[in-house]
Amino acid sequence: MMEKSRGKILWVDDEIDHLKPHILFLEEKGYTIATCANGRDGISLSKEIVFDLVLLDQFMPGLDGMETLREIKENNPALPIIMITKSEEEWLMDEAISEKIAHFLIKPVNPNQIFMACKQVLEKIKIRSEKTTSGYLQEFQKIELDIEDSVSFNDWWKIYSRLVKWQLDFDEQKEPSLNQILNEQIQTSNRQFTHFVQDHYENWVSGTDSPNLSTDIFSKFVQPILEKNEKVCLLVMDAMRLDQFMALYPLLAENYSIRIEPSSSILPSATPFSRNAIFSGLFPEEFCRKYPDQLDAMVEDKGSLNQLEHIFLKDQLARTGLVDKSLHYHKIWMVEEGQKFQSRVGEYLNMDLLAIVINFVDQLAHRRSESDVLKEMVPDESGYRHAVRVWYENSWIRSVLAELGSAGYKVVITSDHGSIMVNRSSMVAADKHSSSGVRHKHGRNINANDKSAIDIRNLDTYKLPSLGHQHNYLLAKDDYFFLYPNEQHKYKNMLKGSFQHGGISMEEMMVPIFIMDPK
């Protein structure tokens, strides 16, 4: 039985007769080789036969290599081309790179060099897939053991970071069976992580063995930069998860050197609590006590509950002895607002502190739950990562960060919390005055199954405000979401498979802090 070819290669070179040893070597390695001695014949043959790769010389009679390349690409834009030429001219390299060649080799080349280049172009996806598969299966048991042995937040951060690494690797491989194993391991991790948080969170808020919390973002990472009389931008990407941050890392690293610090959202892992904690440097009970207007807004539970962030941040500057530092705060919901900010960013470059809040990621999650089209475009967590990356690649904030870097700003990027895809519903017994959260609820003596929720009644130990008589909080565990009995079927179908926040999970609570120095 004839062995399957490793790939069909077209080699175009006016000295093709001198390359027979190289051709025989590639054929022995399993490739099928077709040859042409000039560009015009190469173009014609590439239209008649489907090739996997083209090897192309630059200096040939008639059409040269670059002209041949452009015509071949016009017929088949996806066909990879390796240029093999005697020329070391930089202009030719620039031209070839601009035409997106797969490799540039300078003669003389030995057969092994050409073989390695062909192998990399034609088989890199297969090789990476095999290595990724074997690598994860080898590490699976190590992660399971580390889950059992984890005793600190840093232990959990390392576990979740490794799981996120595999998520990003699997995004390229499209292996459904492996994704299922990884998702099950993340679910197992979340169950154990929930127990860990229940055992340690009260100590964290009292300052014992606590990780970096939402309340520490300014004092630990922004304040030291200001005290050195350096300019800094605090950028809060609402509801962005660790995996989404890591998907953006290569793009952010184009203009900045990045140091990553771990942190945890406070509870509930929801914007009225955790983002207000970032800007105030206070826990919810503390900022509600200090700012009666904030307490009134949270009791009413209507409209935006983050209207005082600018005041919170100004007061935090004053409390830390930085009252003389100039500040510009900007919250951006819509693309038009962002583009307007981009056009005027030059007006703010004299500010000591720029604070920017961007709501795109959170809005995408909310709009997705309401739109069948978006559910098709963002079907799962991998799709969510891809959507966030595509948004950032084309967004106004990418240009703003480049300009801030050029102006010498250091940038601290973080989020108030992440989100988790919810799949299981849990009924809540509550009156009509209870809050509307999907992963967290508060109200008068509200109840849910212990399997699906943590019931917080001693509010002081979590530093949560009492928002009414006999008030308690419910925080969802694992991938549960809360429903009220009325219209439960309607909301169950609407919310299942959506991205929500407010509860306890690695995805919601484990938030990176990117400290970025301009290159």
Side-chain angles (χ1 to χ4, degrees):
M1 184 176 175
M2 190 173 177
E3 286 189 19
K4 183 181 177 182
S5 171
R6 293 174 76 168
K8 289 183 181 178
I9 298 174
L10 170 62
W11 199 332
V12 185
D13 194 308
D14 62 327
E15 298 178 341
I16 199 71
D17 290 340
H18 299 157
L19 297 170
K20 284 191 176 176
H22 299 69
I23 293 168
L24 288 171
F25 184 83
L26 290 177
E27 288 176 337
E28 287 173 3
K29 290 292 185 180
Y31 297 104
T32 302
I33 311 295
T35 62
C36 289
N38 62 74
R40 185 58 62 196
D41 289 347
I43 293 165
S44 298
L45 196 56
S46 72
K47 292 178 180 178
E48 296 171 12
I49 300 173
V50 177
F51 289 102
D52 301 301
L53 175 65
V54 175
L55 306 179
L56 182 62
D57 185 26
Q58 165 61 13
F59 298 108
M60 299 181 291
L63 292 179
D64 67 17
M66 291 306 302
E67 292 170 319
T68 303
L69 180 152
R70 292 187 185 103
E71 288 208 34
I72 289 175
K73 285 279 192 180
E74 193 173 310
N75 180 55
N76 186 349
L79 182 60
I81 295 177
I82 296 175
M83 183 159 277
I84 307 173
T85 180
K86 293 176 183 176
S87 174
E88 297 184 27
E89 294 288 335
E90 189 172 352
W91 70 265
L92 179 58
M93 295 182 191
D94 291 344
E95 281 286 305
I97 291 169
S98 71
E99 295 292 341
K100 300 180 181 178
I101 63 157
H103 264 295
F104 190 99
L105 300 178
I106 297 174
K107 294 178 180 178
V109 289
N110 64 51
N112 257 317
Q113 282 178 279
I114 298 176
F115 166 62
M116 289 304 296
C118 294
K119 183 180 176 74
Q120 184 175 351
V121 172
L122 294 177
E123 300 176 35
K124 63 182 177 183
I125 294 175
K126 177 187 173 188
I127 292 169
R128 286 175 182 171
S129 177
E130 290 173 351
K131 289 292 183 183
T132 299
T133 299
S134 62
Y136 174 64
L137 293 177
Q138 287 173 18
E139 193 170 356
F140 175 87
Q141 194 58 42
K142 294 178 186 175
I143 294 174
E144 290 291 304
L145 292 172
D146 287 344
I147 290 170
E148 293 298 323
D149 294 339
S150 57
V151 295
S152 69
F153 181 83
N154 280 339
D155 290 340
W156 277 107
W157 181 266
K158 290 173 184 175
I159 290 168
Y160 186 42
S161 295
R162 285 155 68 192
L163 293 169
V164 164
K165 174 202 174 287
W166 290 115
Q167 284 182 315
L168 297 176
D169 286 349
F170 288 177
D171 282 351
E172 300 177 10
Q173 311 309 332
K174 308 300 181 189
E175 291 279 357
S177 58
L178 281 179
N179 268 315
Q180 184 176 347
I181 295 171
L182 178 59
N183 288 336
E184 288 172 358
Q185 188 164 48
I186 291 173
Q187 289 172 10
T188 300
S189 301
N190 265 329
R191 283 192 289 273
Q192 295 298 324
F193 179 71
T194 299
H195 293 310
F196 172 77
V197 172
Q198 284 182 271
D199 291 340
H200 292 86
Y201 188 79
E202 291 180 22
N203 289 333
W204 294 356
V205 298
S206 68
T208 305
D209 296 325
S210 63
N212 299 316
L213 298 174
S214 309
T215 49
D216 301 319
I217 301 295
F218 179 87
S219 62
K220 289 187 178 180
F221 301 102
V222 178
Q223 181 181 339
I225 298 173
L226 291 171
E227 288 175 341
K228 293 177 184 175
N229 292 318
E230 296 177 310
K231 295 186 292 186
V232 59
C233 172
L234 171 61
L235 176 57
V236 180
M237 307 281 255
D238 196 290
M240 186 175 281
R241 299 159 30 136
L242 174 61
D243 57 329
Q244 294 160 353
F245 271 99
M246 296 312 297
L248 296 189
Y249 185 99
L251 300 174
L252 294 167
E254 292 172 351
N255 298 305
Y256 291 89
S257 300
I258 304 173
R259 183 176 97 250
I260 303 174
E261 293 288 341
S263 79
S264 173
S265 167
I266 64 163
L267 294 173
S269 54
T271 302
F273 299 89
S274 54
R275 207 171 81 198
N276 278 329
I278 290 175
F279 286 101
S280 68
L282 304 170
F283 287 98
E285 186 277 327
E286 295 169 335
F287 63 66
C288 282
R289 178 160 34 89
K290 185 176 177 65
Y291 301 93
D293 288 348
Q294 182 65 40
L295 176 61
D296 292 344
M298 295 185 80
V299 169
E300 289 291 323
D301 194 31
K302 292 179 181 177
S304 173
L305 303 181
N306 292 78
Q307 298 281 11
L308 303 182
E309 288 174 347
H310 188 201
I311 295 171
F312 288 167
L313 188 53
K314 283 183 68 176
D315 287 357
Q316 190 168 188
L317 281 168
R319 284 202 315 273
T320 52
L322 297 169
V323 69
D324 60 322
K325 297 297 182 182
S326 55
L327 164 68
H328 179 77
Y329 165 90
H330 216 107
K331 186 189 302 183
I332 297 169
W333 288 80
M334 307 297 290
V335 174
E336 293 79 8
E337 295 174 54
Q339 292 170 340
K340 184 178 179 181
F341 178 81
Q342 178 189 351
S343 69
R344 298 182 59 188
V345 70
E347 300 174 20
Y348 310 127
L349 295 181
N350 62 333
M351 293 289 169
D352 297 307
L353 173 59
L354 278 176
I356 305 171
V357 176
I358 299 178
N359 282 88
F360 170 80
V361 178
D362 190 38
Q363 285 193 71
L364 176 60
H366 287 301
R367 298 290 183 271
R368 177 187 174 277
S369 65
E370 301 164 358
S371 166
D372 289 338
V373 173
L374 279 178
K375 285 177 184 175
E376 287 280 339
M377 295 175 66
V378 187
D380 52 22
E381 291 170 319
S382 177
Y384 202 2
R385 286 188 288 275
H386 178 71
V388 170
R389 182 184 170 101
V390 169
W391 161 73
Y392 179 79
E393 283 179 325
N394 300 284
S395 73
W396 58 270
I397 189 59
R398 187 180 187 185
S399 301
V400 166
L401 287 176
E403 191 163 348
L404 291 178
S406 298
Y409 273 84
K410 292 189 174 181
V411 180
V412 176
I413 304 184
T414 190
S415 183
D416 47 354
H417 55 76
S419 65
I420 187 171
M421 180 179 274
V422 295
N423 288 298
R424 292 178 289 176
S425 61
S426 177
M427 206 65 62
V428 174
D431 62 30
K432 63 180 181 180
H433 300 295
S434 300
S435 68
S436 57
V438 175
R439 288 271 296 169
H440 75 287
K441 288 193 180 293
H442 54 84
R444 181 178 178 180
N445 196 28
I446 56 177
N447 292 280
N449 191 307
D450 289 344
K451 182 180 178 182
S452 63
I454 293 175
D455 188 342
I456 302 171
R457 294 179 183 266
N458 187 351
L459 306 188
D460 290 342
T461 59
Y462 278 68
K463 292 193 176 180
L464 291 171
S466 176
L467 304 177
H469 182 59
Q470 293 183 327
H471 212 77
N472 66 303
Y473 290 74
L474 297 177
L475 305 181
K477 302 177 183 179
D478 302 335
D479 61 349
Y480 283 98
F481 61 97
F482 295 137
L483 290 175
Y484 290 133
N486 54 319
E487 295 190 285
Q488 58 177 287
H489 296 297
K490 170 187 171 183
Y491 287 104
K492 182 176 181 178
N493 293 333
M494 180 188 297
L495 293 172
K496 185 176 181 180
S498 65
F499 290 94
Q500 302 292 339
H501 53 260
I504 300 179
S505 68
M506 297 183 300
E507 294 93 326
E508 291 164 291
M509 293 185 68
M510 289 196 171
V511 178
I513 305 165
F514 280 20
I515 299 96
M516 311 204 311
D517 290 325
K519 289 182 176 178

